[in-house]
Amino acid sequence: RIRLHAISQGIHLNRSDILPGAAFAITKVDQETIEIIQGADCFAVWQKSDGRISATRNQVFPHEAVWRRSFANLLRKYEGDRNKAWEKLIPVLSTGRLERVNRKISGYALLNGQSTFPECWQRIVLSRKDIRLLLLFTDGFIPFKESGNTGDLGILIMSLFNQGRLKAILERTRRVEEAEKSTSHIDHGEATAIVIEF
């Protein structure tokens, strides 16, 4: 659908800088397996029946860390004016998207209609009988700085979930965002999450 929409709007499919797109974490659960397909900066975290915790990798983290630092510097330069900072950062982001979106070696998967996207996603297949809990969520559900280390992220998410379910995770994230608001590109990230218990 994204591909057809882009074509109908005259957007060439090699223009990943202007193609509409979405990060994703998708799961298919059947009687035997749990299949997870993930791309960009949406996440899956799961806990096995034996207590072990795993998570998908934030494919965007190294790229986003660089532009977030640039944005913070631009905010200082323009005395907190986000509009001016964005004006200077957008060309950098556009170039980065052209170089990285749906590029297998140094990029990340984005659902945008490009045929190379399946080569870039992360695919995990788990045995359903081994899984106790699965969480799927968007990047705004957790603080960015904590999304770079897969092992630590999984442990943190499960610890917070066990303390107060999804609400505890989001409340903590909002506190972190509030403290970082003066150097961030946004006040609060969009946050969506779902939990599946087996």
Side-chain angles (χ1 to χ4, degrees), residues 93-122:
L93 293 177
S94 293
T95 300
R97 285 177 63 106
L98 279 170
E99 293 171 353
R100 297 181 186 103
V101 169
N102 295 323
R103 303 287 178 129
K104 190 171 184 174
I105 294 177
S106 63
Y108 54 91
L110 197 66
L111 222 114
N112 68 357
Q114 291 179 317
S115 60
T116 53
F117 125 93
E119 299 170 16
C120 302
W121 66 30
Q122 296 177 79

Side-chain angles (χ1 to χ4, degrees), residues 27-41:
T27 190
K28 177 183 173 187
V29 180
D30 63 28
Q31 295 300 318
E32 302 293 323
T33 61
I34 299 168
E35 180 180 10
I36 300 164
I37 297 176
Q38 181 272 346
D41 56 2

Side-chain angles (χ1 to χ4, degrees), residues 73-92:
N73 291 335
L74 289 167
L75 271 179
R76 281 189 286 280
K77 179 178 180 178
Y78 295 113
E79 299 175 348
D81 186 329
R82 280 190 181 158
N83 290 332
K84 283 185 181 177
W86 271 115
E87 213 174 281
K88 297 295 183 187
L89 189 65
I90 284 175
V92 175

